[in-house]
PDB file of all heavy atoms in Angstrom:
ATOM      1  N   ARG A  52       0.844  -1.200   0.000  1.00  0.00           N
ATOM      2  CA  ARG A  52       0.000   0.000   0.000  1.00  0.00           C
ATOM      3  C   ARG A  52       0.873   1.242   0.000  1.00  0.00           C
ATOM      4  O   ARG A  52       1.833   1.322   0.745  1.00  0.00           O
ATOM      5  CB  ARG A  52      -0.869  -0.044   1.252  1.00  0.00           C
ATOM      6  CG  ARG A  52      -1.909   0.984   1.272  1.00  0.00           C
ATOM      7  CD  ARG A  52      -2.914   0.667   2.377  1.00  0.00           C
ATOM      8  NE  ARG A  52      -3.753   1.820   2.502  1.00  0.00           N
ATOM      9  CZ  ARG A  52      -3.892   2.545   3.600  1.00  0.00           C
ATOM     10  NH1 ARG A  52      -3.297   2.176   4.695  1.00  0.00           N
ATOM     11  NH2 ARG A  52      -4.645   3.596   3.614  1.00  0.00           N
ATOM     12  N   ARG A  53       0.509   2.220  -0.840  1.00  0.00           N
ATOM     13  CA  ARG A  53       1.257   3.478  -0.908  1.00  0.00           C
ATOM     14  C   ARG A  53       0.505   4.569  -0.180  1.00  0.00           C
ATOM     15  O   ARG A  53      -0.712   4.648  -0.238  1.00  0.00           O
ATOM     16  CB  ARG A  53       1.445   3.931  -2.350  1.00  0.00           C
ATOM     17  CG  ARG A  53       2.410   3.094  -3.086  1.00  0.00           C
ATOM     18  CD  ARG A  53       2.614   3.687  -4.436  1.00  0.00           C
ATOM     19  NE  ARG A  53       3.758   3.056  -5.052  1.00  0.00           N
ATOM     20  CZ  ARG A  53       4.188   3.335  -6.244  1.00  0.00           C
ATOM     21  NH1 ARG A  53       3.579   4.232  -6.974  1.00  0.00           N
ATOM     22  NH2 ARG A  53       5.227   2.728  -6.749  1.00  0.00           N
ATOM     23  N   GLU A  54       1.263   5.420   0.435  1.00  0.00           N
ATOM     24  CA  GLU A  54       0.654   6.580   1.074  1.00  0.00           C
ATOM     25  C   GLU A  54       0.355   7.635   0.021  1.00  0.00           C
ATOM     26  O   GLU A  54       1.098   7.766  -0.941  1.00  0.00           O
ATOM     27  CB  GLU A  54       1.613   7.179   2.119  1.00  0.00           C
ATOM     28  CG  GLU A  54       1.861   6.281   3.287  1.00  0.00           C
ATOM     29  CD  GLU A  54       2.788   6.940   4.280  1.00  0.00           C
ATOM     30  OE1 GLU A  54       2.776   8.182   4.372  1.00  0.00           O
ATOM     31  OE2 GLU A  54       3.519   6.210   4.944  1.00  0.00           O
ATOM     32  N   PRO A  55      -0.728   8.403   0.212  1.00  0.00           N
ATOM     33  CA  PRO A  55      -1.018   9.461  -0.754  1.00  0.00           C
ATOM     34  C   PRO A  55       0.137  10.463  -0.809  1.00  0.00           C
ATOM     35  O   PRO A  55       0.677  10.856   0.211  1.00  0.00           O
ATOM     36  CB  PRO A  55      -2.279  10.137  -0.197  1.00  0.00           C
ATOM     37  CG  PRO A  55      -2.833   9.196   0.821  1.00  0.00           C
ATOM     38  CD  PRO A  55      -1.712   8.314   1.263  1.00  0.00           C
ATOM     39  N   GLY A  56       0.492  10.839  -2.008  1.00  0.00           N
ATOM     40  CA  GLY A  56       1.572  11.804  -2.179  1.00  0.00           C
ATOM     41  C   GLY A  56       2.945  11.201  -2.023  1.00  0.00           C
ATOM     42  O   GLY A  56       3.939  11.906  -2.049  1.00  0.00           O
ATOM     43  N   GLY A  57       3.032   9.895  -1.879  1.00  0.00           N
ATOM     44  CA  GLY A  57       4.311   9.254  -1.666  1.00  0.00           C
ATOM     45  C   GLY A  57       5.074   8.947  -2.934  1.00  0.00           C
ATOM     46  O   GLY A  57       6.233   8.597  -2.900  1.00  0.00           O
ATOM     47  N   GLU A  58       4.386   9.043  -4.077  1.00  0.00           N
ATOM     48  CA  GLU A  58       5.058   8.725  -5.330  1.00  0.00           C
ATOM     49  C   GLU A  58       6.135   9.755  -5.647  1.00  0.00           C
ATOM     50  O   GLU A  58       5.927  10.943  -5.487  1.00  0.00           O
ATOM     51  CB  GLU A  58       4.061   8.709  -6.503  1.00  0.00           C
ATOM     52  CG  GLU A  58       2.934   7.729  -6.347  1.00  0.00           C
ATOM     53  CD  GLU A  58       1.727   8.316  -5.643  1.00  0.00           C
ATOM     54  OE1 GLU A  58       1.498   9.527  -5.779  1.00  0.00           O
ATOM     55  OE2 GLU A  58       1.047   7.583  -4.953  1.00  0.00           O
ATOM     56  N   GLY A  59       7.255   9.264  -6.118  1.00  0.00           N
ATOM     57  CA  GLY A  59       8.299  10.159  -6.582  1.00  0.00           C
ATOM     58  C   GLY A  59       8.953  10.982  -5.492  1.00  0.00           C
ATOM     59  O   GLY A  59       9.528  12.014  -5.752  1.00  0.00           O
ATOM     60  N   ARG A  60       8.832  10.547  -4.287  1.00  0.00           N
ATOM     61  CA  ARG A  60       9.450  11.307  -3.200  1.00  0.00           C
ATOM     62  C   ARG A  60      10.944  11.430  -3.435  1.00  0.00           C
ATOM     63  O   ARG A  60      11.597  10.492  -3.819  1.00  0.00           O
ATOM     64  CB  ARG A  60       9.216  10.583  -1.879  1.00  0.00           C
ATOM     65  CG  ARG A  60       8.615  11.478  -0.870  1.00  0.00           C
ATOM     66  CD  ARG A  60       8.378  10.741   0.388  1.00  0.00           C
ATOM     67  NE  ARG A  60       6.971  10.904   0.679  1.00  0.00           N
ATOM     68  CZ  ARG A  60       6.413  10.573   1.803  1.00  0.00           C
ATOM     69  NH1 ARG A  60       7.109  10.003   2.728  1.00  0.00           N
ATOM     70  NH2 ARG A  60       5.156  10.780   1.996  1.00  0.00           N
ATOM     71  N   GLY A  61      11.470  12.606  -3.230  1.00  0.00           N
ATOM     72  CA  GLY A  61      12.892  12.835  -3.432  1.00  0.00           C
ATOM     73  C   GLY A  61      13.193  13.420  -4.801  1.00  0.00           C
ATOM     74  O   GLY A  61      14.163  14.122  -4.968  1.00  0.00           O
ATOM     75  N   THR A  62      12.346  13.143  -5.788  1.00  0.00           N
ATOM     76  CA  THR A  62      12.617  13.679  -7.116  1.00  0.00           C
ATOM     77  C   THR A  62      12.338  15.174  -7.177  1.00  0.00           C
ATOM     78  O   THR A  62      13.021  15.890  -7.880  1.00  0.00           O
ATOM     79  CB  THR A  62      11.798  12.955  -8.196  1.00  0.00           C
ATOM     80  OG1 THR A  62      10.415  13.063  -7.883  1.00  0.00           O
ATOM     81  CG2 THR A  62      12.204  11.501  -8.296  1.00  0.00           C
ATOM     82  N   VAL A  63      11.355  15.640  -6.443  1.00  0.00           N
ATOM     83  CA  VAL A  63      11.065  17.077  -6.441  1.00  0.00           C
ATOM     84  C   VAL A  63      12.236  17.823  -5.805  1.00  0.00           C
ATOM     85  O   VAL A  63      12.709  18.822  -6.327  1.00  0.00           O
ATOM     86  CB  VAL A  63       9.753  17.388  -5.695  1.00  0.00           C
ATOM     87  CG1 VAL A  63       9.572  18.886  -5.543  1.00  0.00           C
ATOM     88  CG2 VAL A  63       8.579  16.772  -6.423  1.00  0.00           C
ATOM     89  N   GLY A  64      12.733  17.337  -4.703  1.00  0.00           N
ATOM     90  CA  GLY A  64      13.864  17.977  -4.038  1.00  0.00           C
ATOM     91  C   GLY A  64      15.106  17.975  -4.908  1.00  0.00           C
ATOM     92  O   GLY A  64      15.801  18.977  -5.028  1.00  0.00           O
ATOM     93  N   ALA A  65      15.357  16.861  -5.573  1.00  0.00           N
ATOM     94  CA  ALA A  65      16.527  16.768  -6.440  1.00  0.00           C
ATOM     95  C   ALA A  65      16.370  17.695  -7.640  1.00  0.00           C
ATOM     96  O   ALA A  65      17.323  18.355  -8.057  1.00  0.00           O
ATOM     97  CB  ALA A  65      16.732  15.324  -6.896  1.00  0.00           C
ATOM     98  N   GLY A  66      15.153  17.761  -8.188  1.00  0.00           N
ATOM     99  CA  GLY A  66      14.895  18.647  -9.317  1.00  0.00           C
ATOM    100  C   GLY A  66      15.079  20.104  -8.936  1.00  0.00           C
ATOM    101  O   GLY A  66      15.615  20.905  -9.692  1.00  0.00           O
ATOM    102  N   LEU A  67      14.626  20.432  -7.736  1.00  0.00           N
ATOM    103  CA  LEU A  67      14.770  21.811  -7.260  1.00  0.00           C
ATOM    104  C   LEU A  67      16.241  22.165  -7.073  1.00  0.00           C
ATOM    105  O   LEU A  67      16.680  23.242  -7.471  1.00  0.00           O
ATOM    106  CB  LEU A  67      14.015  21.996  -5.940  1.00  0.00           C
ATOM    107  CG  LEU A  67      14.082  23.373  -5.299  1.00  0.00           C
ATOM    108  CD1 LEU A  67      13.498  24.420  -6.236  1.00  0.00           C
ATOM    109  CD2 LEU A  67      13.341  23.385  -3.984  1.00  0.00           C
ATOM    110  N   LEU A  68      17.002  21.259  -6.508  1.00  0.00           N
ATOM    111  CA  LEU A  68      18.433  21.509  -6.333  1.00  0.00           C
ATOM    112  C   LEU A  68      19.132  21.665  -7.681  1.00  0.00           C
ATOM    113  O   LEU A  68      19.988  22.527  -7.842  1.00  0.00           O
ATOM    114  CB  LEU A  68      19.085  20.371  -5.538  1.00  0.00           C
ATOM    115  CG  LEU A  68      18.777  20.343  -4.056  1.00  0.00           C
ATOM    116  CD1 LEU A  68      19.394  19.107  -3.408  1.00  0.00           C
ATOM    117  CD2 LEU A  68      19.297  21.596  -3.385  1.00  0.00           C
ATOM    118  N   LEU A  69      18.746  20.852  -8.635  1.00  0.00           N
ATOM    119  CA  LEU A  69      19.336  20.945  -9.961  1.00  0.00           C
ATOM    120  C   LEU A  69      18.994  22.281 -10.604  1.00  0.00           C
ATOM    121  O   LEU A  69      19.861  22.936 -11.196  1.00  0.00           O
ATOM    122  CB  LEU A  69      18.842  19.793 -10.839  1.00  0.00           C
ATOM    123  CG  LEU A  69      19.441  19.697 -12.229  1.00  0.00           C
ATOM    124  CD1 LEU A  69      20.947  19.514 -12.150  1.00  0.00           C
ATOM    125  CD2 LEU A  69      18.810  18.561 -12.996  1.00  0.00           C
ATOM    126  N   ALA A  70      17.752  22.712 -10.469  1.00  0.00           N
ATOM    127  CA  ALA A  70      17.341  24.004 -11.037  1.00  0.00           C
ATOM    128  C   ALA A  70      18.079  25.157 -10.368  1.00  0.00           C
ATOM    129  O   ALA A  70      18.505  26.097 -11.031  1.00  0.00           O
ATOM    130  CB  ALA A  70      15.836  24.184 -10.887  1.00  0.00           C
ATOM    131  N   LEU A  71      18.231  25.099  -9.062  1.00  0.00           N
ATOM    132  CA  LEU A  71      18.942  26.156  -8.347  1.00  0.00           C
ATOM    133  C   LEU A  71      20.410  26.209  -8.735  1.00  0.00           C
ATOM    134  O   LEU A  71      20.997  27.282  -8.850  1.00  0.00           O
ATOM    135  CB  LEU A  71      18.811  25.976  -6.833  1.00  0.00           C
ATOM    136  CG  LEU A  71      17.433  26.265  -6.252  1.00  0.00           C
ATOM    137  CD1 LEU A  71      17.390  25.888  -4.769  1.00  0.00           C
ATOM    138  CD2 LEU A  71      17.050  27.713  -6.445  1.00  0.00           C
ATOM    139  N   ALA A  72      21.000  25.059  -8.943  1.00  0.00           N
ATOM    140  CA  ALA A  72      22.405  25.015  -9.342  1.00  0.00           C
ATOM    141  C   ALA A  72      22.592  25.574 -10.750  1.00  0.00           C
ATOM    142  O   ALA A  72      23.612  26.194 -11.049  1.00  0.00           O
ATOM    143  CB  ALA A  72      22.925  23.579  -9.272  1.00  0.00           C
ATOM    144  N   ALA A  73      21.599  25.364 -11.608  1.00  0.00           N
ATOM    145  CA  ALA A  73      21.697  25.849 -12.977  1.00  0.00           C
ATOM    146  C   ALA A  73      21.519  27.362 -13.062  1.00  0.00           C
ATOM    147  O   ALA A  73      22.024  28.000 -13.973  1.00  0.00           O
ATOM    148  CB  ALA A  73      20.658  25.154 -13.848  1.00  0.00           C
ATOM    149  N   CYS A  74      20.790  27.935 -12.131  1.00  0.00           N
ATOM    150  CA  CYS A  74      20.547  29.378 -12.137  1.00  0.00           C
ATOM    151  C   CYS A  74      21.685  30.085 -11.414  1.00  0.00           C
ATOM    152  O   CYS A  74      21.974  29.793 -10.267  1.00  0.00           O
ATOM    153  CB  CYS A  74      19.243  29.713 -11.420  1.00  0.00           C
ATOM    154  SG  CYS A  74      17.804  29.044 -12.225  1.00  0.00           S
ATOM    155  N   ALA A  75      22.300  31.013 -12.102  1.00  0.00           N
ATOM    156  CA  ALA A  75      23.356  31.792 -11.460  1.00  0.00           C
ATOM    157  C   ALA A  75      22.719  32.822 -10.543  1.00  0.00           C
ATOM    158  O   ALA A  75      21.643  33.338 -10.820  1.00  0.00           O
ATOM    159  CB  ALA A  75      24.210  32.478 -12.516  1.00  0.00           C
ATOM    160  N   ALA A  76      23.386  33.097  -9.470  1.00  0.00           N
ATOM    161  CA  ALA A  76      22.887  34.118  -8.555  1.00  0.00           C
ATOM    162  C   ALA A  76      22.976  35.478  -9.229  1.00  0.00           C
ATOM    163  O   ALA A  76      23.866  35.737 -10.031  1.00  0.00           O
ATOM    164  CB  ALA A  76      23.709  34.108  -7.269  1.00  0.00           C
ATOM    165  N   GLU A  77      22.026  36.329  -8.915  1.00  0.00           N
ATOM    166  CA  GLU A  77      22.026  37.692  -9.463  1.00  0.00           C
ATOM    167  C   GLU A  77      23.256  38.429  -8.937  1.00  0.00           C
ATOM    168  O   GLU A  77      23.516  38.421  -7.735  1.00  0.00           O
ATOM    169  CB  GLU A  77      20.749  38.398  -9.008  1.00  0.00           C
ATOM    170  CG  GLU A  77      20.448  39.660  -9.731  1.00  0.00           C
ATOM    171  CD  GLU A  77      20.075  39.474 -11.193  1.00  0.00           C
ATOM    172  OE1 GLU A  77      19.590  38.397 -11.566  1.00  0.00           O
ATOM    173  OE2 GLU A  77      20.291  40.421 -11.951  1.00  0.00           O
ATOM    174  N   PRO A  78      24.019  39.039  -9.818  1.00  0.00           N
ATOM    175  CA  PRO A  78      25.216  39.765  -9.377  1.00  0.00           C
ATOM    176  C   PRO A  78      24.872  40.865  -8.367  1.00  0.00           C
ATOM    177  O   PRO A  78      23.846  41.532  -8.491  1.00  0.00           O
ATOM    178  CB  PRO A  78      25.765  40.368 -10.666  1.00  0.00           C
ATOM    179  CG  PRO A  78      25.273  39.470 -11.738  1.00  0.00           C
ATOM    180  CD  PRO A  78      23.915  39.036 -11.280  1.00  0.00           C
ATOM    181  N   ARG A  79      25.727  41.039  -7.395  1.00  0.00           N
ATOM    182  CA  ARG A  79      25.533  42.071  -6.377  1.00  0.00           C
ATOM    183  C   ARG A  79      26.363  43.314  -6.659  1.00  0.00           C
ATOM    184  O   ARG A  79      26.197  44.325  -6.007  1.00  0.00           O
ATOM    185  CB  ARG A  79      25.891  41.521  -4.999  1.00  0.00           C
ATOM    186  CG  ARG A  79      24.964  40.414  -4.557  1.00  0.00           C
ATOM    187  CD  ARG A  79      25.414  39.847  -3.224  1.00  0.00           C
ATOM    188  NE  ARG A  79      24.617  38.704  -2.875  1.00  0.00           N
ATOM    189  CZ  ARG A  79      23.718  38.724  -1.905  1.00  0.00           C
ATOM    190  NH1 ARG A  79      23.521  39.804  -1.216  1.00  0.00           N
ATOM    191  NH2 ARG A  79      23.022  37.643  -1.637  1.00  0.00           N
ATOM    192  N   ARG A  80      27.286  43.207  -7.621  1.00  0.00           N
ATOM    193  CA  ARG A  80      28.126  44.349  -8.013  1.00  0.00           C
ATOM    194  C   ARG A  80      28.133  44.435  -9.532  1.00  0.00           C
ATOM    195  O   ARG A  80      28.073  43.423 -10.213  1.00  0.00           O
ATOM    196  CB  ARG A  80      29.565  44.148  -7.515  1.00  0.00           C
ATOM    197  CG  ARG A  80      29.696  44.015  -6.021  1.00  0.00           C
ATOM    198  CD  ARG A  80      31.116  43.740  -5.568  1.00  0.00           C
ATOM    199  NE  ARG A  80      31.834  42.836  -6.477  1.00  0.00           N
ATOM    200  CZ  ARG A  80      33.107  42.984  -6.816  1.00  0.00           C
ATOM    201  NH1 ARG A  80      33.825  43.948  -6.302  1.00  0.00           N
ATOM    202  NH2 ARG A  80      33.692  42.140  -7.641  1.00  0.00           N
ATOM    203  N   ILE A  81      28.251  45.642 -10.040  1.00  0.00           N
ATOM    204  CA  ILE A  81      28.253  45.836 -11.490  1.00  0.00           C
ATOM    205  C   ILE A  81      29.422  45.111 -12.145  1.00  0.00           C
ATOM    206  O   ILE A  81      29.318  44.639 -13.277  1.00  0.00           O
ATOM    207  CB  ILE A  81      28.225  47.347 -11.847  1.00  0.00           C
ATOM    208  CG1 ILE A  81      27.845  47.548 -13.312  1.00  0.00           C
ATOM    209  CG2 ILE A  81      29.546  48.014 -11.514  1.00  0.00           C
ATOM    210  CD1 ILE A  81      27.541  48.984 -13.671  1.00  0.00           C
ATOM    211  N   GLU A  82      30.510  44.980 -11.424  1.00  0.00           N
ATOM    212  CA  GLU A  82      31.689  44.295 -11.958  1.00  0.00           C
ATOM    213  C   GLU A  82      31.404  42.824 -12.239  1.00  0.00           C
ATOM    214  O   GLU A  82      32.059  42.204 -13.078  1.00  0.00           O
ATOM    215  CB  GLU A  82      32.871  44.400 -10.985  1.00  0.00           C
ATOM    216  CG  GLU A  82      33.387  45.803 -10.797  1.00  0.00           C
ATOM    217  CD  GLU A  82      32.662  46.577  -9.688  1.00  0.00           C
ATOM    218  OE1 GLU A  82      31.651  46.087  -9.143  1.00  0.00           O
ATOM    219  OE2 GLU A  82      33.119  47.680  -9.375  1.00  0.00           O
ATOM    220  N   ASP A  83      30.445  42.244 -11.539  1.00  0.00           N
ATOM    221  CA  ASP A  83      30.136  40.823 -11.696  1.00  0.00           C
ATOM    222  C   ASP A  83      29.199  40.531 -12.862  1.00  0.00           C
ATOM    223  O   ASP A  83      28.985  39.371 -13.210  1.00  0.00           O
ATOM    224  CB  ASP A  83      29.532  40.275 -10.404  1.00  0.00           C
ATOM    225  CG  ASP A  83      30.500  40.352  -9.238  1.00  0.00           C
ATOM    226  OD1 ASP A  83      31.728  40.320  -9.484  1.00  0.00           O
ATOM    227  OD2 ASP A  83      30.043  40.462  -8.090  1.00  0.00           O
ATOM    228  N   CYS A  84      28.628  41.564 -13.465  1.00  0.00           N
ATOM    229  CA  CYS A  84      27.704  41.365 -14.589  1.00  0.00           C
ATOM    230  C   CYS A  84      28.395  40.682 -15.770  1.00  0.00           C
ATOM    231  O   CYS A  84      27.767  39.922 -16.502  1.00  0.00           O
ATOM    232  CB  CYS A  84      27.109  42.697 -15.036  1.00  0.00           C
ATOM    233  SG  CYS A  84      25.969  43.414 -13.847  1.00  0.00           S
ATOM    234  N   GLY A  85      29.665  40.942 -15.957  1.00  0.00           N
ATOM    235  CA  GLY A  85      30.406  40.354 -17.066  1.00  0.00           C
ATOM    236  C   GLY A  85      30.514  38.843 -16.991  1.00  0.00           C
ATOM    237  O   GLY A  85      30.847  38.191 -17.977  1.00  0.00           O
ATOM    238  N   LYS A  86      30.212  38.260 -15.848  1.00  0.00           N
ATOM    239  CA  LYS A  86      30.288  36.807 -15.679  1.00  0.00           C
ATOM    240  C   LYS A  86      29.030  36.096 -16.169  1.00  0.00           C
ATOM    241  O   LYS A  86      29.013  34.880 -16.267  1.00  0.00           O
ATOM    242  CB  LYS A  86      30.515  36.467 -14.207  1.00  0.00           C
ATOM    243  CG  LYS A  86      31.834  36.982 -13.671  1.00  0.00           C
ATOM    244  CD  LYS A  86      31.965  36.701 -12.202  1.00  0.00           C
ATOM    245  CE  LYS A  86      33.231  37.320 -11.641  1.00  0.00           C
ATOM    246  NZ  LYS A  86      33.312  37.183 -10.182  1.00  0.00           N
ATOM    247  N   LEU A  87      27.988  36.862 -16.472  1.00  0.00           N
ATOM    248  CA  LEU A  87      26.744  36.263 -16.945  1.00  0.00           C
ATOM    249  C   LEU A  87      26.916  35.747 -18.363  1.00  0.00           C
ATOM    250  O   LEU A  87      27.770  36.196 -19.109  1.00  0.00           O
ATOM    251  CB  LEU A  87      25.613  37.290 -16.908  1.00  0.00           C
ATOM    252  CG  LEU A  87      25.208  37.791 -15.528  1.00  0.00           C
ATOM    253  CD1 LEU A  87      24.161  38.886 -15.662  1.00  0.00           C
ATOM    254  CD2 LEU A  87      24.667  36.655 -14.676  1.00  0.00           C
ATOM    255  N   ARG A  88      26.063  34.794 -18.732  1.00  0.00           N
ATOM    256  CA  ARG A  88      26.106  34.251 -20.088  1.00  0.00           C
ATOM    257  C   ARG A  88      25.200  35.070 -20.987  1.00  0.00           C
ATOM    258  O   ARG A  88      24.073  35.374 -20.631  1.00  0.00           O
ATOM    259  CB  ARG A  88      25.615  32.803 -20.092  1.00  0.00           C
ATOM    260  CG  ARG A  88      26.725  31.834 -19.901  1.00  0.00           C
ATOM    261  CD  ARG A  88      26.504  30.564 -20.626  1.00  0.00           C
ATOM    262  NE  ARG A  88      25.520  29.699 -20.004  1.00  0.00           N
ATOM    263  CZ  ARG A  88      25.222  28.516 -20.478  1.00  0.00           C
ATOM    264  NH1 ARG A  88      25.809  28.070 -21.551  1.00  0.00           N
ATOM    265  NH2 ARG A  88      24.342  27.774 -19.896  1.00  0.00           N
ATOM    266  N   GLY A  89      25.697  35.450 -22.133  1.00  0.00           N
ATOM    267  CA  GLY A  89      24.907  36.164 -23.113  1.00  0.00           C
ATOM    268  C   GLY A  89      25.093  37.665 -23.021  1.00  0.00           C
ATOM    269  O   GLY A  89      25.070  38.244 -21.935  1.00  0.00           O
ATOM    270  N   THR A  90      25.274  38.271 -24.163  1.00  0.00           N
ATOM    271  CA  THR A  90      25.516  39.710 -24.217  1.00  0.00           C
ATOM    272  C   THR A  90      24.346  40.497 -23.659  1.00  0.00           C
ATOM    273  O   THR A  90      24.533  41.461 -22.906  1.00  0.00           O
ATOM    274  CB  THR A  90      25.794  40.134 -25.671  1.00  0.00           C
ATOM    275  OG1 THR A  90      26.874  39.348 -26.159  1.00  0.00           O
ATOM    276  CG2 THR A  90      26.161  41.594 -25.756  1.00  0.00           C
TER     277      THR A  90
END
């Protein structure tokens, strides 16, 4: 028997971590803008 909402447990957390790792943090200084991808 499965508990409701038990399917795929752990995949949401892993997906979120992967998405966060893929997103660069917003630069806090103008000098750091050059590190972004894309003109």
Side-chain angles (χ1 to χ4, degrees):
R52 189 167 170 240
R53 288 185 168 179
E54 294 181 30
E58 301 90 31
R60 233 179 236 191
T62 57
V63 172
L67 179 60
L68 286 176
L69 184 60
L71 289 173
C74 296
E77 194 68 25
R79 295 177 186 252
R80 300 177 322 140
I81 195 169
E82 294 88 352
D83 297 333
C84 291
K86 296 176 185 174
L87 295 175
R88 269 213 285 182
T90 305

